[in-house]
Each structure stands twice: as C-alpha cells, then as structure tokens.
Amino acid sequence: MIKVIISGYGKMGHMVEKELQIRGIELVQASEDITATPVDVAKECVCIDFTTPEAFRKNYPFIAQNFKAAVIGTTGWNDIKADVIKAFTDAGTPMVYASNFSLGVNALYLAITKASEILKGAGYTPEIEEIHHIHKLDAPSGTAKTMGEIVEAQLGEKPQITSIREGEVPGIHTLTLTSGCDKLTLRHEAFSREGFAKGAVVAALKTEGLKGVHEFSELL
C-alpha cells in the first residue's frame, strides 16, 4: 500500500486526508512547506499537491527529484508545463496531473471530445463559461482551459471562455455549441470539493508501477 505526503494543507488538503483515512492509506505528513520533507522520507511517499500556482512553481523541482511519485492537483502553471514535464521525466519520477481530478469532469472531457468530432465543419460556435468561488486564484480555470483545448483540437474552433467568481461555488463548467439550427449544452456542476479529493487519491493509487508523466484522463 502506498504512503502519502500532502503538499498544501488547506481545504483540499484536509479533504484528501479524509479520503485517505476512508481508504486506510497512511498519511505520513501534511506540509505547508514540502521542501522541508526529509529526502529519505520523501523517497517512500507519493506527494499529493494542492497548493497555489506560486508555491508549485517553487516546489516542483524538489518534488520531482525526491519523491517516489507525484499527483499534481494545483493549476495555473500551464505556461511552464514543458519544464515541469521535463523535470519529472529526467528524474524518472512518475507524475499524474489534471486540471480537475473529478471523475465526472473527466467524463465531461470525453463527451466534449465526441461531440466536437461529430460537429466539426457543421457551423457550430463554441463558448465556455466557468463559475467558481471568490477564493480561486487562476482564471480561466484549468478545467475550462482543458475544455477549450479539446474543443479547438477536435472542432477546429477556439472557444471564448468567460470566468465568473461568486460566493463559495465549488465549480460549474458549461460548454455550449451553437449553430443556426440548434444548440448543444454540456455542463458539469460540482456540489463540493470532495470529488476532487477522491480522484486525486485514485490517481495516487495508480502511480504504483507507473512510469512517465500522464494526464489523469489517460489512466481512467
């Protein structure tokens, strides 16, 4: 059975801890400063990271070089994605990352892929709207960006993305595909952040025997 160290002990860190307890997985520690982890301890553990974009940018070299494997739930680092992937690849450390670890969202990605394939060249205009709590630091959300990348690749049209921040909304993502004849709407609404924690722990379990860097959707 894997051992886990949580990087970032905010709301998501606590939810990951709860999911680990439910599954009987050992939590070695939860840290606000992952770089303070003793190297001999890190070698035996999977790091589950839910921090901030700034913290992850600072910490990812240490995680790549010292941990047994990593699950990265932090978003907002897409501009350094190539550097991050290279760091983990060069270190030989398995990494699983996702803009959203919710199983429902990953099903949404598949639905968007299929719908965009079918509607390609049929005159549909894509638009994406994402709504999140006022504490979310990045906009558009990583999930909305992933949705946009899928649409652009499969439909051949780059969607406009609208970001809304209000209240304590865990996350609502909506894609509309509109033509002169009809409109298709694909929507995912999170009721809480628990689904993200469940998916991250599933990803951590999948790092056993894994090699390389993977998006979570590839492993489902």
Side-chain angles (χ1 to χ4, degrees):
M1 181 66 76
I2 63 170
K3 298 179 182 179
V4 170
I5 291 177
I6 297 172
S7 177
Y9 200 41
K11 291 180 180 179
M12 278 307 307
H14 282 83
M15 288 187 178
V16 170
E17 179 181 24
K18 180 180 177 182
E19 184 64 21
L20 292 172
Q21 290 172 345
I22 290 170
R23 291 175 176 264
I25 298 171
E26 181 180 351
L27 174 62
V28 175
Q29 69 180 49
S31 176
E32 291 291 355
D33 180 11
I34 200 68
T35 62
T37 306
V39 172
D40 60 331
V41 175
K43 280 184 190 177
E44 302 298 320
C45 297
V46 178
C47 175
I48 298 181
D49 183 281
F50 280 100
T51 53
T52 65
E54 293 74 20
F56 179 72
R57 288 165 190 270
K58 181 184 73 173
N59 295 338
Y60 81 83
F62 179 87
I63 297 171
Q65 291 163 16
N66 295 292
F67 276 84
K68 181 180 179 181
V71 172
I72 308 301
T74 304
T75 60
W77 50 271
N78 203 51
D79 57 310
I80 60 165
K81 184 175 178 180
D83 294 334
V84 172
I85 290 175
K86 185 177 187 302
F88 280 87
T89 301
D90 289 352
T93 302
M95 181 183 93
V96 182
Y97 69 97
S99 56
N100 192 315
F101 275 101
S102 161
L103 296 176
V105 163
N106 281 274
L108 175 68
Y109 292 158
L110 179 58
I112 291 172
T113 300
K114 288 297 183 184
S116 297
E117 287 175 355
I118 292 168
L119 300 179
K120 184 175 182 178
Y124 282 80
T125 300
E127 294 184 20
I128 294 170
E129 179 185 86
E130 59 99 350
I131 306 173
H132 277 92
H133 52 86
I134 59 174
H135 315 290
K136 187 165 180 61
L137 299 177
D138 55 323
S141 69
T143 302
K145 289 179 180 177
T146 299
M147 291 167 64
E149 289 167 1
I150 294 170
V151 171
E152 187 171 5
Q154 302 301 330
L155 188 69
E157 298 282 344
K158 186 173 182 176
Q160 176 183 331
I161 301 177
T162 301
S163 298
I164 299 170
R165 298 289 174 262
E166 61 182 37
E168 298 295 331
V169 178
I172 302 172
H173 292 88
T174 306
L175 167 67
T176 56
L177 295 157
T178 307
S179 74
C181 302
D182 57 13
K183 178 168 73 173
L184 173 65
T185 301
L186 296 170
R187 173 187 172 102
H188 177 272
E189 180 175 355
F191 299 143
S192 73
R193 298 182 181 89
E194 288 181 18
F196 312 147
K198 289 178 184 293
V201 174
V202 168
L205 290 168
K206 288 182 179 293
T207 62
E208 284 288 271
L210 188 68
K211 294 182 179 180
V213 175
H214 303 268
E215 281 199 77
F216 183 44
S217 58
E218 297 172 19
L219 304 181
L220 294 175

Short mmCIF file of all heavy atoms in Angstrom, two decimals, residues 44-70:
data_model
loop_
_atom_site.label_atom_id
_atom_site.label_comp_id
_atom_site.label_asym_id
_atom_site.label_seq_id
_atom_site.Cartn_x
_atom_site.Cartn_y
_atom_site.Cartn_z
N GLU A 44 9.93 7.36 -0.07
CA GLU A 44 8.97 6.27 0.18
C GLU A 44 7.53 6.71 -0.03
O GLU A 44 6.61 5.90 0.16
CB GLU A 44 9.13 5.79 1.63
CG GLU A 44 10.52 5.31 1.98
CD GLU A 44 10.94 4.11 1.13
OE1 GLU A 44 10.08 3.23 0.90
OE2 GLU A 44 12.11 4.06 0.70
N CYS A 45 7.31 7.96 -0.45
CA CYS A 45 5.95 8.51 -0.44
C CYS A 45 5.53 9.09 -1.78
O CYS A 45 6.36 9.55 -2.57
CB CYS A 45 5.85 9.60 0.62
SG CYS A 45 6.11 9.04 2.30
N VAL A 46 4.21 9.09 -1.99
CA VAL A 46 3.61 9.81 -3.10
C VAL A 46 3.22 11.19 -2.59
O VAL A 46 2.58 11.31 -1.54
CB VAL A 46 2.35 9.08 -3.62
CG1 VAL A 46 1.69 9.88 -4.76
CG2 VAL A 46 2.69 7.68 -4.10
N CYS A 47 3.61 12.22 -3.30
CA CYS A 47 3.23 13.59 -2.95
C CYS A 47 1.93 13.95 -3.67
O CYS A 47 1.85 13.85 -4.90
CB CYS A 47 4.32 14.56 -3.35
SG CYS A 47 3.90 16.30 -3.09
N ILE A 48 0.92 14.34 -2.92
CA ILE A 48 -0.32 14.87 -3.50
C ILE A 48 -0.31 16.37 -3.25
O ILE A 48 -0.34 16.82 -2.11
CB ILE A 48 -1.57 14.22 -2.89
CG1 ILE A 48 -1.59 12.72 -3.16
CG2 ILE A 48 -2.83 14.89 -3.45
CD1 ILE A 48 -2.82 12.00 -2.62
N ASP A 49 -0.24 17.13 -4.35
CA ASP A 49 -0.04 18.57 -4.25
C ASP A 49 -1.31 19.34 -4.60
O ASP A 49 -1.80 19.28 -5.72
CB ASP A 49 1.09 18.99 -5.21
CG ASP A 49 1.40 20.47 -5.11
OD1 ASP A 49 0.67 21.29 -5.70
OD2 ASP A 49 2.39 20.81 -4.45
N PHE A 50 -1.84 20.06 -3.62
CA PHE A 50 -2.91 21.03 -3.82
C PHE A 50 -2.48 22.32 -3.12
O PHE A 50 -2.87 22.59 -2.00
CB PHE A 50 -4.24 20.54 -3.24
CG PHE A 50 -4.98 19.57 -4.11
CD1 PHE A 50 -4.91 18.21 -3.86
CD2 PHE A 50 -5.74 20.01 -5.19
CE1 PHE A 50 -5.60 17.31 -4.67
CE2 PHE A 50 -6.42 19.12 -6.00
CZ PHE A 50 -6.35 17.76 -5.74
N THR A 51 -1.62 23.08 -3.79
CA THR A 51 -1.11 24.32 -3.20
C THR A 51 -1.60 25.51 -4.03
O THR A 51 -2.75 25.57 -4.41
CB THR A 51 0.43 24.28 -3.12
OG1 THR A 51 0.97 23.97 -4.42
CG2 THR A 51 0.90 23.24 -2.12
N THR A 52 -0.72 26.43 -4.32
CA THR A 52 -1.03 27.58 -5.17
C THR A 52 -0.10 27.53 -6.38
O THR A 52 0.96 26.87 -6.34
CB THR A 52 -0.80 28.90 -4.42
OG1 THR A 52 0.60 29.03 -4.12
CG2 THR A 52 -1.62 28.96 -3.14
N PRO A 53 -0.47 28.22 -7.45
CA PRO A 53 0.44 28.25 -8.61
C PRO A 53 1.85 28.71 -8.25
O PRO A 53 2.84 28.14 -8.72
CB PRO A 53 -0.25 29.24 -9.56
CG PRO A 53 -1.69 29.17 -9.21
CD PRO A 53 -1.72 28.96 -7.72
N GLU A 54 1.95 29.71 -7.37
CA GLU A 54 3.26 30.23 -6.98
C GLU A 54 4.05 29.19 -6.19
O GLU A 54 5.26 29.02 -6.41
CB GLU A 54 3.09 31.50 -6.15
CG GLU A 54 2.53 32.69 -6.90
CD GLU A 54 1.03 32.57 -7.19
OE1 GLU A 54 0.35 31.78 -6.49
OE2 GLU A 54 0.55 33.24 -8.11
N ALA A 55 3.39 28.52 -5.26
CA ALA A 55 4.07 27.51 -4.46
C ALA A 55 4.53 26.34 -5.32
O ALA A 55 5.65 25.84 -5.17
CB ALA A 55 3.15 27.02 -3.34
N PHE A 56 3.68 25.90 -6.24
CA PHE A 56 4.06 24.78 -7.08
C PHE A 56 5.25 25.12 -7.97
O PHE A 56 6.15 24.30 -8.19
CB PHE A 56 2.88 24.32 -7.94
CG PHE A 56 3.23 23.17 -8.85
CD1 PHE A 56 3.45 21.91 -8.34
CD2 PHE A 56 3.38 23.38 -10.22
CE1 PHE A 56 3.81 20.85 -9.16
CE2 PHE A 56 3.73 22.33 -11.06
CZ PHE A 56 3.95 21.06 -10.53
N ARG A 57 5.27 26.33 -8.50
CA ARG A 57 6.40 26.75 -9.34
C ARG A 57 7.71 26.68 -8.57
O ARG A 57 8.76 26.35 -9.14
CB ARG A 57 6.16 28.18 -9.84
CG ARG A 57 5.09 28.31 -10.90
CD ARG A 57 4.66 29.76 -11.10
NE ARG A 57 3.48 29.84 -11.93
CZ ARG A 57 3.49 29.95 -13.26
NH1 ARG A 57 4.66 30.00 -13.90
NH2 ARG A 57 2.39 30.01 -13.95
N LYS A 58 7.65 26.97 -7.30
CA LYS A 58 8.85 26.92 -6.46
C LYS A 58 9.21 25.50 -6.06
O LYS A 58 10.38 25.12 -5.98
CB LYS A 58 8.63 27.77 -5.20
CG LYS A 58 9.82 27.82 -4.25
CD LYS A 58 9.51 28.60 -2.99
CE LYS A 58 8.58 27.80 -2.09
NZ LYS A 58 8.37 28.46 -0.76
N ASN A 59 8.18 24.66 -5.85
CA ASN A 59 8.39 23.35 -5.24
C ASN A 59 8.58 22.19 -6.21
O ASN A 59 9.12 21.16 -5.83
CB ASN A 59 7.19 23.01 -4.34
CG ASN A 59 7.06 23.95 -3.15
OD1 ASN A 59 8.02 24.58 -2.74
ND2 ASN A 59 5.85 24.04 -2.62
N TYR A 60 8.14 22.35 -7.47
CA TYR A 60 8.12 21.16 -8.33
C TYR A 60 9.49 20.52 -8.56
O TYR A 60 9.58 19.29 -8.65
CB TYR A 60 7.41 21.45 -9.66
CG TYR A 60 8.23 22.14 -10.72
CD1 TYR A 60 9.09 21.42 -11.56
CD2 TYR A 60 8.13 23.52 -10.92
CE1 TYR A 60 9.83 22.05 -12.54
CE2 TYR A 60 8.87 24.16 -11.90
CZ TYR A 60 9.72 23.42 -12.70
OH TYR A 60 10.46 24.05 -13.67
N PRO A 61 10.61 21.29 -8.62
CA PRO A 61 11.90 20.60 -8.78
C PRO A 61 12.21 19.68 -7.61
O PRO A 61 12.72 18.56 -7.80
CB PRO A 61 12.91 21.75 -8.88
CG PRO A 61 12.11 22.92 -9.37
CD PRO A 61 10.78 22.77 -8.70
N PHE A 62 11.90 20.13 -6.39
CA PHE A 62 12.14 19.29 -5.21
C PHE A 62 11.28 18.04 -5.25
O PHE A 62 11.75 16.92 -4.96
CB PHE A 62 11.85 20.07 -3.93
CG PHE A 62 12.05 19.27 -2.67
CD1 PHE A 62 13.30 19.20 -2.07
CD2 PHE A 62 11.00 18.56 -2.09
CE1 PHE A 62 13.50 18.44 -0.92
CE2 PHE A 62 11.19 17.81 -0.95
CZ PHE A 62 12.44 17.74 -0.35
N ILE A 63 10.00 18.19 -5.60
CA ILE A 63 9.09 17.05 -5.68
C ILE A 63 9.59 16.05 -6.71
O ILE A 63 9.64 14.84 -6.47
CB ILE A 63 7.66 17.52 -6.01
CG1 ILE A 63 7.12 18.42 -4.90
CG2 ILE A 63 6.73 16.32 -6.20
CD1 ILE A 63 5.80 19.11 -5.23
N ALA A 64 9.98 16.55 -7.88
CA ALA A 64 10.43 15.68 -8.96
C ALA A 64 11.69 14.91 -8.57
O ALA A 64 11.83 13.71 -8.87
CB ALA A 64 10.69 16.50 -10.22
N GLN A 65 12.59 15.56 -7.88
CA GLN A 65 13.88 14.96 -7.58
C GLN A 65 13.85 14.01 -6.38
O GLN A 65 14.73 13.14 -6.27
CB GLN A 65 14.91 16.06 -7.33
CG GLN A 65 15.27 16.86 -8.57
CD GLN A 65 15.95 18.17 -8.25
OE1 GLN A 65 16.44 18.37 -7.12
NE2 GLN A 65 15.96 19.09 -9.20
N ASN A 66 12.86 14.15 -5.51
CA ASN A 66 12.94 13.44 -4.23
C ASN A 66 11.81 12.47 -3.92
O ASN A 66 12.00 11.56 -3.10
CB ASN A 66 13.05 14.46 -3.09
CG ASN A 66 14.34 15.25 -3.17
OD1 ASN A 66 15.43 14.72 -2.96
ND2 ASN A 66 14.24 16.53 -3.52
N PHE A 67 10.64 12.64 -4.52
CA PHE A 67 9.52 11.78 -4.16
C PHE A 67 9.44 10.52 -5.01
O PHE A 67 9.96 10.47 -6.13
CB PHE A 67 8.20 12.56 -4.25
CG PHE A 67 7.91 13.35 -3.00
CD1 PHE A 67 8.46 14.61 -2.81
CD2 PHE A 67 7.11 12.82 -2.00
CE1 PHE A 67 8.21 15.33 -1.66
CE2 PHE A 67 6.86 13.52 -0.84
CZ PHE A 67 7.41 14.78 -0.66
N LYS A 68 8.76 9.52 -4.47
CA LYS A 68 8.54 8.26 -5.20
C LYS A 68 7.64 8.51 -6.41
O LYS A 68 7.83 7.92 -7.48
CB LYS A 68 7.89 7.25 -4.25
CG LYS A 68 7.61 5.90 -4.86
CD LYS A 68 6.97 4.97 -3.83
CE LYS A 68 6.66 3.61 -4.45
NZ LYS A 68 6.01 2.71 -3.45
N ALA A 69 6.64 9.36 -6.26
CA ALA A 69 5.71 9.71 -7.33
C ALA A 69 4.97 10.97 -6.90
O ALA A 69 5.04 11.38 -5.73
CB ALA A 69 4.73 8.58 -7.60
N ALA A 70 4.24 11.57 -7.84
CA ALA A 70 3.52 12.80 -7.51
C ALA A 70 2.18 12.86 -8.22
O ALA A 70 2.05 12.41 -9.37
CB ALA A 70 4.35 14.02 -7.87
#
